[in-house]
Amino acid sequence: LSERLQAALQKLRGKGKVTEADVKAAMREVRLALLEADVNFKVVKEFIDRVRERAVGQEVLKSLTPGQQVIKVVNEELTRLMGGEQSKLTFAQRPPTVIMMVGLQGAGKTTTTGKLARLLKKQNRKPLLVAGDVYRPAAIRQLQVLGEQVGVPVFSMGDKESPVRIAAEGVARAKEEGCDVVLIDTAGRLHVDEAMMAELREIREEVQPHEILLVVDAMTGQDAVNVAENFHRELGLTGVVLTKLDGDTRGGAALSVKAVTDCPIKFVGMGEKLDSLEPFHPERMASRILGMGDVLTLIEKAQAAVDQERAKELERKMRTQQFTFDDFLEQLQQVRKMGPLDELLGMIPGMGQLKGMKNLQIDEKQLARVEAIIRSMTPEEKRRPEILNASRRRRIALGSGTSVQDVNRLIKQFEDMKKMMKQFTAMTKGGKKKKRGG
Ligand code: GDP
Ligand code: MG
């Protein structure tokens, strides 16, 4: 599907204008991509409406490359929807900072507690882990093993005490021992139920945590949203940790969870190992959800190559017939970065109509040769190709390791191009007042 999406967006590339129908078509694909990535239906609808509104408006129509602009809007909006900036943990003014880990059974709470302790320790903090899951067999042992692996102390009172008491004692212990962060691992159930919520609320009242982090399994897709909604309503979450993103999920849950609960995603789990907890980056997730890593590099490329100022300067040169071999070479180098020359031309303002013209279709293989030829010219020759007589052409061919025919062909191409520009300039002069895309 991501291929189809790309194809739809590609179609927009290099067009002079983007019509509402174009955007609509692209949005259909984006919509499918989102749904397939398990993004909540309502979220998708709102998102699409918003992008369409932005994309069909001025912003796109005025831009140099409407296709890229649409991609950019989609990506920006996705990123914004997921919080835009990276969201960090809140630390207490007066330590210890108390962090409660909550979530369903198997989501990855205990593992994440260990991973987080490791991260915090690396930031020179002194965490204490508190074993608050007294129900699941071996849960305490699991936390103790993790604590040993990351070199962080674990506070436990066995499985006979109430989790509320354990949490309170754990915080007290942290104060005694000078630990500045307390991570409380709690018990989950297979489904959201009232007994679990009641217990978590009690713990919350008792220890007044600075962070309540919900751990959710990204693989559960839509369910993750319901779970997050429930936990948020019952407890008031401060953040979400999305685990198991190393699986083949597109991670649409990230988008939905944030959109539905408005809780920032603070970390993502990328594997079973202890070093696989990472801060959440909205922009990376945006491209993952759309499955458009390539499209992002495309945007970057387009932005680099179609530097607006350069394009304008070039256009001015064309109009005033000052286009030289240096400019030509610069263009060729951009072609190298970009892809086919005619596509590049499509991005230069006013050049869209030259697309597909025969003499402009330079074979990629020839590019190196062309470059060598131009580099063998003197500055004077590059500025004034008319002085390129037979002996100069021979010298250039020798210097560039090409043949005189190659040199002749290039000069012919260049002259053709200039001629075309001249015609084109004459053609558009009358219509200049007509605003692009207006
Ligand atoms: P809890 O019941 O919420 O405490 O969940 P656990 O911490 O016991 O984790 C349940 C399972 O999920 C374990 O097998 C973990 O190794 C695994 N797990 C946790 N986080 C991740 C992750 O980010 N990626 C993968 N692949 N597995 C994870
Ligand atoms: Mg656990």
Side-chain angles (χ1 to χ4, degrees):
L1 180 110
S2 105
E3 269 161 39
R4 245 167 58 209
L5 170 65
Q6 290 210 17
L9 294 170
Q10 290 277 4
K11 261 186 243 157
L12 296 180
R13 251 163 62 91
K15 273 203 177 185
K17 288 183 196 173
V18 162
T19 66
E20 196 162 342
D22 289 333
V23 175
K24 243 187 187 154
M27 285 304 108
R28 242 195 318 272
E29 298 298 330
V30 171
R31 184 170 165 277
L32 284 173
L34 292 176
L35 289 174
E36 198 161 84
D38 243 333
V39 179
N40 183 282
F41 170 79
K42 261 173 60 190
V43 175
V44 172
K45 190 179 176 311
E46 278 167 32
F47 176 77
I48 295 291
D49 288 347
R50 203 184 140 81
V51 170
R52 192 179 286 145
E53 198 176 292
R54 263 189 74 186
V56 182
Q58 289 283 3
E59 228 171 321
V60 169
L61 295 180
K62 269 191 185 164
S63 76
L64 264 174
T65 53
Q68 263 86 32
Q69 198 72 26
V70 175
I71 300 169
K72 243 176 82 103
V73 171
V74 169
N75 203 60
E76 277 168 17
E77 285 297 315
L78 271 185
T79 305
R80 194 190 58 85
L81 213 67
M82 284 186 286
E85 298 281 293
Q86 191 194 318
S87 185
K88 301 213 167 97
L89 287 177
T90 307
F91 290 99
Q93 295 270 333
R94 283 191 340 149
T97 299
V98 178
I99 302 178
M100 231 175 117
M101 310 295 287
V102 302
L104 293 185
Q105 192 172 312
K109 284 181 304 301
T110 307
T111 314
T112 303
T113 304
K115 290 176 179 178
L116 194 52
R118 181 181 170 276
L119 270 189
L120 291 167
K121 198 182 167 206
K122 279 182 83 177
Q123 294 166 11
N124 291 321
R125 296 188 189 266
K126 280 187 68 187
L128 175 73
L129 303 183
V130 176
D133 182 355
V134 296
Y135 306 107
R136 197 179 189 181
I140 297 172
R141 185 75 202 123
Q142 186 190 357
L143 195 68
Q144 282 167 341
V145 170
L146 288 169
E148 268 165 42
Q149 284 171 346
V150 297
V152 165
V154 177
F155 177 82
S156 147
M157 294 171 77
D159 57 7
K160 301 289 182 286
E161 289 290 339
S162 86
V164 180
R165 167 116 200 272
I166 295 171
E169 295 287 327
V171 174
R173 174 67 64 89
K175 284 177 185 158
E176 282 164 30
E177 313 238 317
C179 294
D180 53 10
V181 189
V182 185
L183 296 168
I184 304 172
D185 184 28
T186 65
R189 304 285 154 91
L190 285 174
H191 305 283
V192 171
D193 75 20
E194 186 41 43
M196 169 180 65
M197 288 300 181
E199 184 176 289
L200 292 174
R201 271 197 303 267
E202 267 186 76
I203 298 176
R204 184 190 63 187
E205 294 318 309
E206 183 68 36
V207 302
Q208 303 282 323
H210 304 90
E211 290 271 3
I212 303 179
L213 297 181
L214 173 69
V215 179
V216 276
D217 180 341
M219 305 283 283
T220 60
Q222 287 300 301
D223 280 344
V225 182
N226 300 331
V227 168
E229 228 178 344
N230 265 302
F231 271 91
H232 190 46
R233 189 175 53 237
E234 299 286 334
L235 292 171
L237 303 170
T238 60
V240 175
V241 180
L242 206 59
T243 60
K244 308 185 192 182
L245 266 174
D246 48 312
D248 57 6
T249 168
R250 279 276 192 82
L255 188 61
S256 311
V257 163
K258 168 71 175 115
V260 170
T261 64
D262 204 33
C263 278
I265 294 157
K266 296 198 171 176
F267 296 95
V268 290
M270 303 295 295
E272 300 199 40
K273 291 216 184 99
L274 282 166
D275 61 358
S276 63
L277 189 72
E278 298 173 7
F280 174 70
H281 292 286
E283 70 284 353
R284 280 186 214 163
M285 188 57 80
S287 53
R288 174 170 177 148
I289 288 172
L290 281 176
M292 53 188 247
D294 291 350
V295 179
L296 285 192
T297 39
L298 198 76
I299 297 172
E300 276 160 25
K301 270 200 235 166
Q303 274 173 343
V306 192
D307 183 287
Q308 295 211 15
E309 291 306 307
R310 263 311 288 155
K312 279 201 192 107
E313 167 71 7
L314 200 68
E315 197 188 9
R316 188 190 63 75
K317 281 187 165 173
M318 287 174 181
R319 287 191 194 289
T320 54
Q321 298 291 303
Q322 288 172 344
F323 194 76
T324 66
F325 265 115
D326 280 316
D327 299 317
F328 192 67
L329 186 59
E330 193 184 320
Q331 283 311 296
L332 288 181
Q333 277 156 354
Q334 295 207 334
V335 171
R336 278 247 167 98
K337 278 191 286 179
M338 279 302 301
L341 178 61
D342 62 346
E343 251 181 59
L344 177 68
L345 282 171
M347 294 177 178
I348 300 171
M351 290 296 279
Q353 290 157 64
L354 292 185
K355 267 191 70 164
M357 289 195 94
K358 250 223 184 104
N359 287 341
L360 292 173
Q361 284 174 350
I362 296 171
D363 181 352
E364 277 282 328
K365 274 188 296 184
Q366 281 188 18
L367 282 181
R369 217 178 314 160
V370 166
E371 198 175 325
I373 293 173
I374 298 178
R375 292 208 184 282
S376 296
M377 294 177 185
T378 66
E380 170 82 356
E381 286 165 349
K382 282 190 237 176
R383 269 195 313 275
R384 299 176 49 217
E386 60 273 16
I387 66 171
L388 287 166
N389 57 20
S391 77
R392 283 176 190 266
R393 291 180 190 211
R394 247 192 324 273
R395 193 206 77 237
I396 291 167
L398 263 173
S400 59
T402 60
S403 68
V404 175
Q405 285 96 309
D406 287 330
V407 177
N408 287 343
R409 196 178 313 124
L410 175 64
I411 294 171
K412 172 85 170 57
Q413 269 176 342
F414 180 76
E415 306 276 73
D416 282 354
M417 191 166 168
K418 275 188 94 163
K419 226 179 279 165
M420 250 176 352
M421 283 172 194
K422 201 170 176 181
Q423 285 166 4
F424 179 69
T425 308
M427 214 161 71
T428 52
K429 251 179 193 150
K432 240 227 120 178
K433 260 182 280 161
K434 227 168 85 186
K435 239 179 135 205
R436 271 174 50 75

